[in-house]
Amino acid sequence: MQVRRVRTRADLRAFLRLPDWDPRVASHGVPLWHSSIRLWWSGKGPHRRHGPVELYLVRDHTGAVRGRTTLHTDARLDAKLGEATLLLGATEFADREALAAMVGYAVRQARSRGCTRLLGPVSLLPNQVGGVITSGFDKPGFLDGPWNPEHYPADWEALGFERTWTGATWRCEDVARLDPDSVFPLQPSDDALIVRRGNRRHLAEQLPILRRMLNASFAELGYYTPIEADELEAATDGLAHLLDERLLLWLERDGEPVAFVLVVPDLTGFVRSRRGRMSPVDLVALMATRGRYRRDAVLIIKGTVPDARGLGLMRRLSHELLVGLRAGGYRNLSVTFIEDDNSGSQSQFVAMGGEPLHETCFYTRPVGLADDDDDEEGNLVLAARDDLSEGSDAPATTRLLARGADWGRAPSAHNTQPWRLRPVDERTLALGWHADRELRVGDPTRRDLMLSLGALTLALKVVARDLGLSADVSWAVDEGRHEAAVVHLREFSPSGDAPNPAQGWTVAELQSRRTSRAAFLRQPGDEDVQDLAAEAGIELARLPDDLIERLLPAATARTLTGPAAEELGSWLRLTPKDARHDLDGLSAEVLGLSPPQAAGLQLLTGSPHLRRLLGASRLDRVVAAVSAVRPRGTVVALCAEPGLELEQLGPLGERLLATWLAGQRAGWSAHPLSELIDDPRTAEALHTHVSIAGGRPRQVYALWRWGAPGAVPPRSPRLRD
């Protein structure tokens, strides 16, 4: 891993457009505004008085981006904390190895700058945007709130960071049903208070009033540094266009502003759709559609000046806020993080029926914690990459076999997980398969079996590399003995080992790879497909929609009612009551089936009479056509010369998994359409098409559709989970 500063516009574009390491990011995270990041890079924002904000990228040996961060300091926070602190911001990473690289680099930078502590992620300060969520990973984030994949907390803490300023974001559902007079009844003392509301035309005049209350209200908090006028102006740039005047409120007592609350329409959906961009065209689009964003609202900040606390002022403001939310047609209210010990602030949302959404924290560590743990490039060395009770001196085969929860995420047809690994000696494993996990009807040539075993060998190589090992595979298939290959393990040598495909992928990517059987909202184009083919070193052909439309119903019908239907039924786990529901096979959740659909599939695969009836009437094709998902996405075929031997299919399976991982990194989920190859008639049509299109004899060995689903696909179960 190499950490390099962002210096060119090409680097900046890479910083802004990160790979999709986790498919949930697009639907759960909220990207930072590109305009803010560009100001950091150019040094033109209000932060410039406090020093430069340096942008960095982490790249692997192939040049692929694996992480990003900013490094900067701020004397105001140093004064608050009592020591010089190097801040990490906008920190995103694919895996622990990438985070270790950037933290190692940050340690070296901190020493050179005289800083004694690291703190992050903050963008640019803790009182702006930042933090890590430590729970609720299945619940999407929202505007001005953090969201991150679930491996982040463990990764930060494995590198010596400790939690600080712990808290939670909150969510109040269906606030429109609440009666403000019942939830926050008015008191006689409220008559002495004057309620002021925001005004779009005069917002510039109102901002100084808000800033004065804001700085006074939060001055004693450990993470808060005073907001300067130009910082508040930059943070609220564009707010006048979107402000709902009913939701910016403050109270005056005896002519003095004493308490305030700022709530804005929740633009999370728009920010996600633009991936953080806000060009003039995007702004016009937002203004034209702003009415769509009046269902949810976000409470950005609220506070009471110290001298006015204990008088029930926030209760009075909450009453007015509920009135405004109801009048504006808002139903739900999200709340940016509140520290755990701030029970007074939490009580307002408890009264509204709210509950914590995400637990949050920031991370900090002294710079000197691991002074001797840097490698030659400044990357923090991970001291313990596995949890083996046997320890790092255990045999290489034992260490690798113990990581089955990682390499066992390799794909297989019907999720059969057919592989069998056994140690031959301390550095050699024999790879074979379980005969009772073969699909003898659906995969009589063992094509799918060999591809899945090949995919497993790539997963083994990735995990071996994570353990500091190299895995070399020698293929020699013995069908009678159900043996496929031998895996030789040795210590990895950065100087002596030639680059291999496994070095381009990570355990985190193996874990996050999933099959999506849902409709795809976006799909890769021809150029995307060829880029991914080049990255994985494989030959891909994009198949025309009309060809798939013509062939797929017949192939799917054969799967549902043909010879392999009963075999498929033996691998269905359509109810949680199934004894193997959480071990292997295909669940209703993984297949994306509703309860009635699951019941229908169970009946069909379990009833030979019904299958014969549907097949004879050709209603099976109608069922297949109706059940096909739309939009389908881009259908891609893996092609090679005809008639590959079983030993050649294994390495092809490695490249197949590499292709899917490359697609995942680019934001595309894969869903195999193997039924088109399993049916000899449709398979022949495919072989003919790719041969004519390619101008030479070709055969299709794997087929799938690629695209971006609207939601995160469920994880299929594994025997070693």
Side-chain angles (χ1 to χ4, degrees):
M1 295 281 181
Q2 292 187 335
V3 182
R4 295 290 182 266
R5 186 171 176 181
V6 173
R7 297 190 182 277
T8 68
R9 293 192 178 276
D11 289 341
L12 179 61
R13 288 193 295 270
F15 190 96
L16 294 171
R17 299 169 185 169
L18 289 176
D20 190 4
W21 299 309
D22 188 310
R24 293 173 298 175
V25 170
S27 60
H28 284 39
V30 185
L32 292 169
W33 289 112
H34 285 193
S35 55
S36 297
I37 296 174
R38 291 181 186 277
L39 283 177
W40 302 343
W41 184 64
S42 65
K44 296 179 180 178
H47 60 273
R48 65 188 182 277
R49 292 191 305 276
H50 308 288
V53 178
E54 299 172 357
L55 281 58
Y56 292 88
L57 288 171
V58 181
R59 297 183 185 269
D60 63 19
H61 73 283
T62 69
V65 174
R66 309 299 296 153
R68 76 173 187 192
T69 193
T70 66
L71 297 179
H72 58 289
T73 58
D74 194 300
R76 294 170 296 178
L77 188 59
D78 290 348
K80 192 84 177 184
L81 299 177
E83 62 180 315
T85 303
L86 185 62
L87 306 172
L88 293 86
T91 307
E92 308 285 350
F93 50 93
D95 49 37
R96 189 176 299 175
E97 187 176 5
L99 179 62
M102 66 178 72
V103 170
Y105 187 89
V107 166
R108 291 164 64 91
Q109 287 291 310
R111 292 175 188 150
S112 68
R113 303 180 191 194
C115 296
T116 57
R117 180 164 294 277
L118 301 180
L119 174 69
V122 292
S123 301
L124 290 168
L125 290 166
N127 58 3
Q128 294 172 358
V129 179
V132 170
I133 68 167
T134 58
S135 70
F137 304 102
D138 58 325
K139 301 170 185 176
F142 55 87
L143 193 70
D144 268 15
W147 188 88
N148 48 263
E150 55 198 289
H151 64 88
Y152 272 37
D155 292 342
W156 282 100
E157 291 164 21
L159 298 175
F161 284 84
E162 296 180 349
R163 301 183 184 190
T164 186
W165 305 322
T166 59
T169 63
W170 285 66
R171 176 80 167 176
C172 303
E173 300 278 355
D174 200 14
V175 294
R177 65 179 167 77
L178 301 177
D179 176 18
D181 293 330
S182 299
V183 179
F184 300 111
L186 297 178
Q187 305 295 325
S189 59
D190 294 340
D191 294 339
L193 300 172
I194 298 176
V195 179
R196 302 292 188 189
R197 290 177 171 79
N199 186 291
R200 295 192 189 97
R201 295 181 59 187
H202 300 288
L203 183 62
E205 302 164 21
Q206 296 174 335
L207 285 180
I209 300 173
L210 293 175
R211 187 171 73 89
R212 189 164 65 249
M213 286 187 289
L214 175 63
N215 286 336
S217 300
F218 289 87
E220 72 271 26
L221 294 183
Y223 64 84
Y224 187 81
T225 52
I227 298 291
E228 298 175 6
D230 57 351
E231 290 177 316
L232 184 59
E233 182 180 349
T236 56
D237 184 33
L239 178 62
H241 299 295
L242 303 167
L243 180 67
D244 187 331
E245 297 175 337
R246 295 165 291 206
L247 306 183
L248 170 54
L249 306 165
W250 72 91
L251 295 177
E252 287 185 359
R253 187 184 64 166
D254 299 330
E256 285 294 319
V258 288
F260 69 97
V261 61
L262 171 60
V263 174
V264 299
D266 189 353
L267 302 180
T268 300
F270 181 84
V271 179
R272 286 194 185 114
S273 70
R274 293 306 192 269
R275 299 191 176 187
R277 301 187 312 271
M278 185 53 81
S279 68
V281 173
D282 295 318
L283 180 59
V284 170
L286 175 59
M287 298 305 297
T289 60
R290 59 184 175 182
R292 301 177 185 175
Y293 306 104
R294 294 300 173 95
R295 174 181 173 85
D296 292 348
V298 178
L299 191 150
I300 302 296
I301 199 163
K302 67 184 180 74
T304 304
V305 301
D307 292 344
R309 291 173 185 161
L311 302 178
L313 302 184
M314 196 52 65
R315 173 189 47 78
R316 177 73 173 92
L317 271 182
S318 297
H319 179 281
E320 294 301 321
L321 176 61
L322 268 184
V323 171
L325 290 169
R326 286 163 55 97
Y330 299 93
R331 297 188 59 83
N332 306 311
L333 178 67
S334 299
V335 183
T336 52
F337 90 94
I338 304 170
E339 284 195 272
D340 289 336
D341 58 0
N342 193 346
S343 57
S345 186
Q346 296 167 6
S347 65
Q348 308 295 320
F349 308 113
V350 171
M352 296 185 196
E355 295 181 346
L357 183 67
H358 304 113
E359 292 179 299
T360 65
C361 73
F362 294 86
Y363 278 110
T364 184
R365 56 160 276 188
V367 167
L369 182 65
D371 287 345
D372 300 323
D373 289 345
D374 296 343
D375 64 17
E376 293 179 356
E377 293 188 1
N379 299 334
L380 199 68
V381 176
L382 301 182
R385 296 189 180 219
D386 57 62
D387 298 320
L388 281 177
S389 59
E390 292 90 348
S392 60
D393 57 347
T397 51
T398 302
R399 295 161 60 199
L400 184 57
L401 288 172
R403 293 283 294 272
D406 291 326
W407 50 254
R409 298 306 303 179
S412 57
H414 294 355
N415 192 28
T416 54
Q417 306 167 59
W419 38 78
R420 183 191 67 217
L421 276 173
R422 58 182 179 81
V424 176
D425 55 41
E426 292 189 351
R427 290 189 173 273
T428 309
L429 291 167
L431 171 62
W433 67 91
H434 295 280
D436 60 349
R437 290 183 169 270
E438 286 188 67
L439 300 175
R440 300 188 181 186
V441 182
D443 183 33
T445 65
R446 293 187 167 128
R447 172 188 53 83
D448 265 335
L449 173 65
M450 289 299 121
L451 290 176
S452 68
L453 294 180
L456 181 81
T457 59
L458 177 61
L460 288 169
K461 290 179 179 181
V462 172
V463 178
R465 180 67 187 89
D466 193 55
L467 291 169
L469 302 169
S470 286
D472 302 314
V473 181
S474 301
W475 289 91
V477 178
D478 186 330
E479 295 183 78
R481 300 176 63 183
H482 304 105
E483 295 180 354
V486 176
V487 181
H488 304 278
L489 301 176
R490 53 189 172 80
E491 298 302 319
F492 176 77
S493 171
S495 59
D497 277 20
N500 67 73
Q503 294 178 27
W505 312 109
T506 66
V507 172
E509 287 176 310
L510 291 178
Q511 286 283 355
S512 61
R513 186 204 62 80
R514 302 179 187 185
T515 295
S516 174
R517 293 170 173 84
F520 289 148
L521 306 184
R522 295 181 295 108
Q523 64 186 49
D526 290 335
E527 186 175 339
D528 298 313
V529 170
Q530 294 313 311
D531 286 346
L532 293 170
E535 183 174 353
I538 207 167
E539 180 183 342
L540 299 180
R542 181 178 180 179
L543 300 180
D545 293 341
D546 58 348
L547 177 67
I548 301 303
E549 199 69 34
R550 177 166 57 86
L551 299 180
L552 188 57
T556 304
R558 181 179 183 274
T559 300
L560 294 175
T561 62
E566 185 174 351
E567 185 177 62
L568 167 64
S570 69
W571 289 98
L572 293 178
R573 318 287 186 237
L574 298 179
T575 168
K577 295 181 180 179
D578 191 301
R580 303 193 65 82
H581 181 270
D582 298 324
L583 297 176
D584 56 14
L586 302 170
S587 67
E589 296 81 9
V590 167
L591 293 173
L593 301 178
S594 65
Q597 290 172 325
L601 180 59
Q602 188 79 70
L603 176 63
L604 180 60
T605 56
S607 171
H609 177 71
L610 179 58
R611 294 200 302 271
R612 285 195 298 270
L613 178 62
L614 285 176
S617 63
R618 297 180 68 83
L619 286 175
D620 53 352
R621 297 196 180 198
V622 176
V623 173
V626 171
S627 62
V629 293
R630 302 279 195 293
R632 179 181 292 123
T634 297
V635 179
V636 176
L638 185 163
C639 306
E641 56 271 18
L644 292 183
E645 300 291 337
L646 293 181
E647 285 85 357
Q648 295 172 293
L649 289 175
L652 192 65
E654 281 197 32
R655 297 199 295 275
L656 174 62
L657 178 55
T659 307
W660 286 351
L661 292 174
Q664 172 183 278
R665 185 180 286 174
W668 312 121
S669 292
H671 172 207
L673 298 177
S674 300
E675 58 266 38
L676 283 162
I677 311 175
D678 296 337
D679 185 335
R681 296 165 299 176
T682 55
E684 185 60 33
L686 292 173
H687 302 330
T688 300
H689 174 82
V690 296
S691 296
I692 294 174
R696 53 180 174 153
R698 308 312 284 157
Q699 183 173 334
V700 176
Y701 288 93
L703 195 72
W704 65 92
R705 60 189 191 95
W706 248 338
V712 179
R715 280 168 62 100
S716 56
R718 288 295 190 271
L719 292 167
R720 289 177 176 267
D721 277 356

